[in-house]
Amino acid sequence: MSEPGKAENERQLAAELDAAGGRADVAAAHQSFLPLNRRHGAACTRWQLNTHRDERVDAAVLRELRAISHELDRVCARLTGVLGRFGVHGPRYPAALQKVFDGDHAWLDAPDRPSCHLVWISLHEDLLASLGIERGTDDLPPD
């Protein structure tokens, strides 16, 4: 997407959010998302570094991702209560995660399908664009 197109899209998302009167709720959901984002990133890194050499590490990562998924459900429900378009994210993550649990490990982070990682990125990008937050700045410590 071009920079002007991205800017226009973000303007439209902000206008939609303001018209719904849900900016505070979406901002609060974003704050709830941030610790999950850190945990998700750490779990995915452990998964990738392990390369399935140690089944105990894989099992621990999957338990952590299952817990994160349950917490993400609450965040997505809150977001969907404000804007229905956020509803696409909630069911996609646990569906992809179930495929990982079923043994198809590519569903965790493969770029060629709606993997856990890509679903996560999609939700995060939707939050950032809706709130007008520049990518890479939402989890920085305060000055």
Side-chain angles (χ1 to χ4, degrees), residues 79-112:
L79 290 166
T80 303
V82 176
L83 291 173
R85 69 177 166 77
F86 279 107
V88 301
H89 303 293
R92 293 173 68 210
Y93 187 87
L97 184 59
Q98 185 58 53
K99 291 178 183 190
V100 178
F101 269 90
D102 291 343
D104 192 346
H105 294 164
W107 279 88
L108 184 66
D109 57 4
D112 64 343

mmCIF file of all heavy atoms in Angstrom, residues 79-112:
data_model
loop_
_atom_site.group_PDB
_atom_site.id
_atom_site.type_symbol
_atom_site.label_atom_id
_atom_site.label_comp_id
_atom_site.label_asym_id
_atom_site.label_seq_id
_atom_site.Cartn_x
_atom_site.Cartn_y
_atom_site.Cartn_z
ATOM 1 N N LEU A 79 -12.766 -5.883 21.830
ATOM 2 C CA LEU A 79 -12.635 -5.113 20.596
ATOM 3 C C LEU A 79 -13.861 -5.269 19.707
ATOM 4 O O LEU A 79 -14.361 -4.297 19.145
ATOM 5 C CB LEU A 79 -11.380 -5.564 19.836
ATOM 6 C CG LEU A 79 -10.051 -5.191 20.474
ATOM 7 C CD1 LEU A 79 -8.912 -5.966 19.826
ATOM 8 C CD2 LEU A 79 -9.824 -3.687 20.381
ATOM 9 N N THR A 80 -14.344 -6.490 19.591
ATOM 10 C CA THR A 80 -15.507 -6.764 18.744
ATOM 11 C C THR A 80 -16.749 -6.069 19.288
ATOM 12 O O THR A 80 -17.628 -5.668 18.520
ATOM 13 C CB THR A 80 -15.724 -8.277 18.616
ATOM 14 O OG1 THR A 80 -14.515 -8.849 18.086
ATOM 15 C CG2 THR A 80 -16.876 -8.610 17.691
ATOM 16 N N GLY A 81 -16.801 -5.888 20.608
ATOM 17 C CA GLY A 81 -17.911 -5.161 21.204
ATOM 18 C C GLY A 81 -17.952 -3.705 20.774
ATOM 19 O O GLY A 81 -19.008 -3.076 20.783
ATOM 20 N N VAL A 82 -16.802 -3.178 20.377
ATOM 21 C CA VAL A 82 -16.729 -1.793 19.914
ATOM 22 C C VAL A 82 -16.934 -1.720 18.405
ATOM 23 O O VAL A 82 -17.730 -0.934 17.910
ATOM 24 C CB VAL A 82 -15.366 -1.156 20.292
ATOM 25 C CG1 VAL A 82 -15.249 0.251 19.732
ATOM 26 C CG2 VAL A 82 -15.170 -1.155 21.799
ATOM 27 N N LEU A 83 -16.188 -2.551 17.687
ATOM 28 C CA LEU A 83 -16.269 -2.567 16.223
ATOM 29 C C LEU A 83 -16.297 -4.016 15.751
ATOM 30 O O LEU A 83 -15.368 -4.783 16.013
ATOM 31 C CB LEU A 83 -15.051 -1.868 15.594
ATOM 32 C CG LEU A 83 -14.953 -0.358 15.777
ATOM 33 C CD1 LEU A 83 -13.616 0.157 15.251
ATOM 34 C CD2 LEU A 83 -16.099 0.352 15.073
ATOM 35 N N GLY A 84 -17.355 -4.367 15.074
ATOM 36 C CA GLY A 84 -17.527 -5.742 14.625
ATOM 37 C C GLY A 84 -16.402 -6.264 13.748
ATOM 38 O O GLY A 84 -16.121 -7.464 13.744
ATOM 39 N N ARG A 85 -15.709 -5.371 13.034
ATOM 40 C CA ARG A 85 -14.648 -5.833 12.140
ATOM 41 C C ARG A 85 -13.517 -6.514 12.883
ATOM 42 O O ARG A 85 -12.780 -7.309 12.308
ATOM 43 C CB ARG A 85 -14.122 -4.698 11.275
ATOM 44 C CG ARG A 85 -13.358 -3.634 12.014
ATOM 45 C CD ARG A 85 -12.826 -2.587 11.018
ATOM 46 N NE ARG A 85 -12.382 -1.403 11.684
ATOM 47 C CZ ARG A 85 -11.226 -1.306 12.336
ATOM 48 N NH1 ARG A 85 -10.407 -2.323 12.401
ATOM 49 N NH2 ARG A 85 -10.896 -0.172 12.933
ATOM 50 N N PHE A 86 -13.373 -6.239 14.169
ATOM 51 C CA PHE A 86 -12.334 -6.921 14.948
ATOM 52 C C PHE A 86 -12.676 -8.397 15.170
ATOM 53 O O PHE A 86 -11.823 -9.179 15.553
ATOM 54 C CB PHE A 86 -12.113 -6.231 16.300
ATOM 55 C CG PHE A 86 -11.246 -5.013 16.230
ATOM 56 C CD1 PHE A 86 -11.794 -3.751 16.353
ATOM 57 C CD2 PHE A 86 -9.872 -5.117 16.058
ATOM 58 C CE1 PHE A 86 -10.993 -2.614 16.297
ATOM 59 C CE2 PHE A 86 -9.059 -3.998 16.002
ATOM 60 C CZ PHE A 86 -9.623 -2.740 16.114
ATOM 61 N N GLY A 87 -13.918 -8.759 14.909
ATOM 62 C CA GLY A 87 -14.352 -10.133 15.132
ATOM 63 C C GLY A 87 -13.661 -11.163 14.253
ATOM 64 O O GLY A 87 -13.673 -12.347 14.578
ATOM 65 N N VAL A 88 -13.037 -10.738 13.169
ATOM 66 C CA VAL A 88 -12.355 -11.705 12.304
ATOM 67 C C VAL A 88 -11.130 -12.297 12.976
ATOM 68 O O VAL A 88 -10.721 -13.411 12.656
ATOM 69 C CB VAL A 88 -11.952 -11.091 10.936
ATOM 70 C CG1 VAL A 88 -13.165 -10.567 10.196
ATOM 71 C CG2 VAL A 88 -10.901 -10.020 11.086
ATOM 72 N N HIS A 89 -10.533 -11.584 13.894
ATOM 73 C CA HIS A 89 -9.270 -12.030 14.483
ATOM 74 C C HIS A 89 -9.455 -13.137 15.523
ATOM 75 O O HIS A 89 -8.662 -14.075 15.572
ATOM 76 C CB HIS A 89 -8.540 -10.846 15.132
ATOM 77 C CG HIS A 89 -8.264 -9.725 14.189
ATOM 78 N ND1 HIS A 89 -7.385 -9.828 13.136
ATOM 79 C CD2 HIS A 89 -8.770 -8.461 14.129
ATOM 80 C CE1 HIS A 89 -7.350 -8.686 12.479
ATOM 81 N NE2 HIS A 89 -8.179 -7.842 13.057
ATOM 82 N N GLY A 90 -10.476 -13.000 16.351
ATOM 83 C CA GLY A 90 -10.657 -13.914 17.475
ATOM 84 C C GLY A 90 -10.658 -15.389 17.128
ATOM 85 O O GLY A 90 -9.886 -16.158 17.697
ATOM 86 N N PRO A 91 -11.467 -15.849 16.190
ATOM 87 C CA PRO A 91 -11.522 -17.288 15.906
ATOM 88 C C PRO A 91 -10.339 -17.817 15.103
ATOM 89 O O PRO A 91 -10.050 -19.012 15.128
ATOM 90 C CB PRO A 91 -12.823 -17.458 15.124
ATOM 91 C CG PRO A 91 -13.259 -16.118 14.695
ATOM 92 C CD PRO A 91 -12.547 -15.108 15.541
ATOM 93 N N ARG A 92 -9.642 -16.959 14.399
ATOM 94 C CA ARG A 92 -8.562 -17.429 13.528
ATOM 95 C C ARG A 92 -7.352 -17.917 14.316
ATOM 96 O O ARG A 92 -6.708 -18.891 13.906
ATOM 97 C CB ARG A 92 -8.155 -16.308 12.568
ATOM 98 C CG ARG A 92 -9.269 -15.985 11.569
ATOM 99 C CD ARG A 92 -8.969 -14.772 10.724
ATOM 100 N NE ARG A 92 -7.853 -15.054 9.829
ATOM 101 C CZ ARG A 92 -7.007 -14.126 9.405
ATOM 102 N NH1 ARG A 92 -7.137 -12.868 9.773
ATOM 103 N NH2 ARG A 92 -6.027 -14.443 8.595
ATOM 104 N N TYR A 93 -7.031 -17.249 15.421
ATOM 105 C CA TYR A 93 -5.850 -17.654 16.181
ATOM 106 C C TYR A 93 -6.013 -19.047 16.793
ATOM 107 O O TYR A 93 -5.153 -19.915 16.580
ATOM 108 C CB TYR A 93 -5.499 -16.607 17.253
ATOM 109 C CG TYR A 93 -4.193 -16.916 17.929
ATOM 110 C CD1 TYR A 93 -2.998 -16.458 17.385
ATOM 111 C CD2 TYR A 93 -4.127 -17.689 19.076
ATOM 112 C CE1 TYR A 93 -1.783 -16.764 17.971
ATOM 113 C CE2 TYR A 93 -2.920 -18.000 19.669
ATOM 114 C CZ TYR A 93 -1.743 -17.526 19.122
ATOM 115 O OH TYR A 93 -0.544 -17.840 19.695
ATOM 116 N N PRO A 94 -7.078 -19.326 17.545
ATOM 117 C CA PRO A 94 -7.202 -20.677 18.109
ATOM 118 C C PRO A 94 -7.348 -21.759 17.044
ATOM 119 O O PRO A 94 -6.910 -22.898 17.251
ATOM 120 C CB PRO A 94 -8.429 -20.610 19.021
ATOM 121 C CG PRO A 94 -9.131 -19.360 18.678
ATOM 122 C CD PRO A 94 -8.150 -18.447 18.009
ATOM 123 N N ALA A 95 -7.923 -21.416 15.895
ATOM 124 C CA ALA A 95 -8.032 -22.408 14.816
ATOM 125 C C ALA A 95 -6.645 -22.790 14.296
ATOM 126 O O ALA A 95 -6.350 -23.975 14.097
ATOM 127 C CB ALA A 95 -8.895 -21.860 13.681
ATOM 128 N N ALA A 96 -5.785 -21.801 14.103
ATOM 129 C CA ALA A 96 -4.416 -22.078 13.653
ATOM 130 C C ALA A 96 -3.650 -22.825 14.744
ATOM 131 O O ALA A 96 -2.923 -23.779 14.462
ATOM 132 C CB ALA A 96 -3.708 -20.780 13.286
ATOM 133 N N LEU A 97 -3.827 -22.405 15.989
ATOM 134 C CA LEU A 97 -3.117 -23.053 17.093
ATOM 135 C C LEU A 97 -3.528 -24.515 17.223
ATOM 136 O O LEU A 97 -2.686 -25.380 17.491
ATOM 137 C CB LEU A 97 -3.370 -22.298 18.399
ATOM 138 C CG LEU A 97 -2.601 -22.810 19.613
ATOM 139 C CD1 LEU A 97 -1.089 -22.763 19.382
ATOM 140 C CD2 LEU A 97 -2.977 -21.971 20.839
ATOM 141 N N GLN A 98 -4.788 -24.811 16.995
ATOM 142 C CA GLN A 98 -5.232 -26.206 17.078
ATOM 143 C C GLN A 98 -4.505 -27.062 16.039
ATOM 144 O O GLN A 98 -4.150 -28.211 16.314
ATOM 145 C CB GLN A 98 -6.742 -26.313 16.898
ATOM 146 C CG GLN A 98 -7.268 -27.725 17.091
ATOM 147 C CD GLN A 98 -6.915 -28.279 18.470
ATOM 148 O OE1 GLN A 98 -7.185 -27.664 19.497
ATOM 149 N NE2 GLN A 98 -6.284 -29.452 18.510
ATOM 150 N N LYS A 99 -4.248 -26.509 14.877
ATOM 151 C CA LYS A 99 -3.523 -27.261 13.848
ATOM 152 C C LYS A 99 -2.087 -27.541 14.293
ATOM 153 O O LYS A 99 -1.534 -28.596 13.977
ATOM 154 C CB LYS A 99 -3.576 -26.510 12.522
ATOM 155 C CG LYS A 99 -4.981 -26.501 11.945
ATOM 156 C CD LYS A 99 -5.076 -25.737 10.661
ATOM 157 C CE LYS A 99 -6.533 -25.744 10.225
ATOM 158 N NZ LYS A 99 -6.770 -25.255 8.923
ATOM 159 N N VAL A 100 -1.499 -26.602 15.031
ATOM 160 C CA VAL A 100 -0.161 -26.843 15.578
ATOM 161 C C VAL A 100 -0.237 -27.984 16.591
ATOM 162 O O VAL A 100 0.585 -28.902 16.561
ATOM 163 C CB VAL A 100 0.416 -25.570 16.225
ATOM 164 C CG1 VAL A 100 1.799 -25.848 16.829
ATOM 165 C CG2 VAL A 100 0.492 -24.422 15.225
ATOM 166 N N PHE A 101 -1.227 -27.932 17.480
ATOM 167 C CA PHE A 101 -1.418 -29.000 18.469
ATOM 168 C C PHE A 101 -1.647 -30.351 17.792
ATOM 169 O O PHE A 101 -1.237 -31.381 18.304
ATOM 170 C CB PHE A 101 -2.594 -28.688 19.404
ATOM 171 C CG PHE A 101 -2.206 -27.937 20.632
ATOM 172 C CD1 PHE A 101 -2.210 -26.549 20.638
ATOM 173 C CD2 PHE A 101 -1.830 -28.598 21.790
ATOM 174 C CE1 PHE A 101 -1.848 -25.846 21.770
ATOM 175 C CE2 PHE A 101 -1.468 -27.905 22.923
ATOM 176 C CZ PHE A 101 -1.470 -26.519 22.917
ATOM 177 N N ASP A 102 -2.295 -30.323 16.622
ATOM 178 C CA ASP A 102 -2.563 -31.561 15.886
ATOM 179 C C ASP A 102 -1.327 -32.085 15.157
ATOM 180 O O ASP A 102 -1.401 -33.120 14.503
ATOM 181 C CB ASP A 102 -3.705 -31.353 14.890
ATOM 182 C CG ASP A 102 -5.051 -31.141 15.572
ATOM 183 O OD1 ASP A 102 -5.184 -31.466 16.778
ATOM 184 O OD2 ASP A 102 -5.968 -30.631 14.900
ATOM 185 N N GLY A 103 -0.220 -31.343 15.251
ATOM 186 C CA GLY A 103 1.042 -31.816 14.691
ATOM 187 C C GLY A 103 1.529 -31.119 13.444
ATOM 188 O O GLY A 103 2.624 -31.408 12.960
ATOM 189 N N ASP A 104 0.751 -30.195 12.898
ATOM 190 C CA ASP A 104 1.190 -29.466 11.710
ATOM 191 C C ASP A 104 1.871 -28.178 12.167
ATOM 192 O O ASP A 104 1.263 -27.118 12.243
ATOM 193 C CB ASP A 104 0.003 -29.174 10.792
ATOM 194 C CG ASP A 104 0.434 -28.675 9.422
ATOM 195 O OD1 ASP A 104 1.617 -28.299 9.256
ATOM 196 O OD2 ASP A 104 -0.420 -28.661 8.519
ATOM 197 N N HIS A 105 3.143 -28.282 12.476
ATOM 198 C CA HIS A 105 3.887 -27.186 13.092
ATOM 199 C C HIS A 105 3.981 -25.941 12.233
ATOM 200 O O HIS A 105 4.200 -24.843 12.754
ATOM 201 C CB HIS A 105 5.282 -27.662 13.479
ATOM 202 C CG HIS A 105 5.260 -28.689 14.560
ATOM 203 N ND1 HIS A 105 6.329 -29.480 14.853
ATOM 204 C CD2 HIS A 105 4.287 -29.067 15.425
ATOM 205 C CE1 HIS A 105 6.030 -30.301 15.844
ATOM 206 N NE2 HIS A 105 4.782 -30.063 16.201
ATOM 207 N N ALA A 106 3.811 -26.080 10.925
ATOM 208 C CA ALA A 106 3.879 -24.912 10.047
ATOM 209 C C ALA A 106 2.811 -23.877 10.388
ATOM 210 O O ALA A 106 2.981 -22.694 10.104
ATOM 211 C CB ALA A 106 3.750 -25.336 8.588
ATOM 212 N N TRP A 107 1.729 -24.323 11.019
ATOM 213 C CA TRP A 107 0.644 -23.391 11.352
ATOM 214 C C TRP A 107 1.024 -22.420 12.465
ATOM 215 O O TRP A 107 0.288 -21.476 12.727
ATOM 216 C CB TRP A 107 -0.639 -24.142 11.693
ATOM 217 C CG TRP A 107 -1.347 -24.555 10.453
ATOM 218 C CD1 TRP A 107 -1.170 -25.710 9.746
ATOM 219 C CD2 TRP A 107 -2.300 -23.790 9.725
ATOM 220 N NE1 TRP A 107 -1.953 -25.717 8.627
ATOM 221 C CE2 TRP A 107 -2.672 -24.538 8.594
ATOM 222 C CE3 TRP A 107 -2.882 -22.548 9.927
ATOM 223 C CZ2 TRP A 107 -3.602 -24.080 7.669
ATOM 224 C CZ3 TRP A 107 -3.809 -22.089 9.010
ATOM 225 C CH2 TRP A 107 -4.153 -22.846 7.896
ATOM 226 N N LEU A 108 2.187 -22.588 13.067
ATOM 227 C CA LEU A 108 2.608 -21.610 14.073
ATOM 228 C C LEU A 108 3.139 -20.345 13.417
ATOM 229 O O LEU A 108 2.753 -19.246 13.808
ATOM 230 C CB LEU A 108 3.653 -22.186 15.031
ATOM 231 C CG LEU A 108 4.033 -21.209 16.140
ATOM 232 C CD1 LEU A 108 2.842 -20.957 17.057
ATOM 233 C CD2 LEU A 108 5.194 -21.711 16.926
ATOM 234 N N ASP A 109 3.996 -20.515 12.405
ATOM 235 C CA ASP A 109 4.659 -19.321 11.891
ATOM 236 C C ASP A 109 4.860 -19.277 10.378
ATOM 237 O O ASP A 109 5.577 -18.430 9.876
ATOM 238 C CB ASP A 109 5.998 -19.125 12.585
ATOM 239 C CG ASP A 109 6.923 -20.321 12.454
ATOM 240 O OD1 ASP A 109 6.574 -21.286 11.764
ATOM 241 O OD2 ASP A 109 8.008 -20.289 13.068
ATOM 242 N N ALA A 110 4.217 -20.162 9.639
ATOM 243 C CA ALA A 110 4.398 -20.166 8.184
ATOM 244 C C ALA A 110 3.805 -18.909 7.550
ATOM 245 O O ALA A 110 2.734 -18.456 7.941
ATOM 246 C CB ALA A 110 3.756 -21.412 7.572
ATOM 247 N N PRO A 111 4.500 -18.365 6.554
ATOM 248 C CA PRO A 111 4.004 -17.151 5.901
ATOM 249 C C PRO A 111 3.005 -17.409 4.778
ATOM 250 O O PRO A 111 2.457 -16.464 4.223
ATOM 251 C CB PRO A 111 5.286 -16.531 5.331
ATOM 252 C CG PRO A 111 6.162 -17.706 5.046
ATOM 253 C CD PRO A 111 5.849 -18.710 6.123
ATOM 254 N N ASP A 112 2.733 -18.683 4.477
ATOM 255 C CA ASP A 112 1.880 -19.006 3.335
ATOM 256 C C ASP A 112 0.461 -19.400 3.707
ATOM 257 O O ASP A 112 -0.271 -19.941 2.888
ATOM 258 C CB ASP A 112 2.517 -20.129 2.514
ATOM 259 C CG ASP A 112 2.617 -21.438 3.288
ATOM 260 O OD1 ASP A 112 2.495 -21.419 4.530
ATOM 261 O OD2 ASP A 112 2.832 -22.484 2.650
#
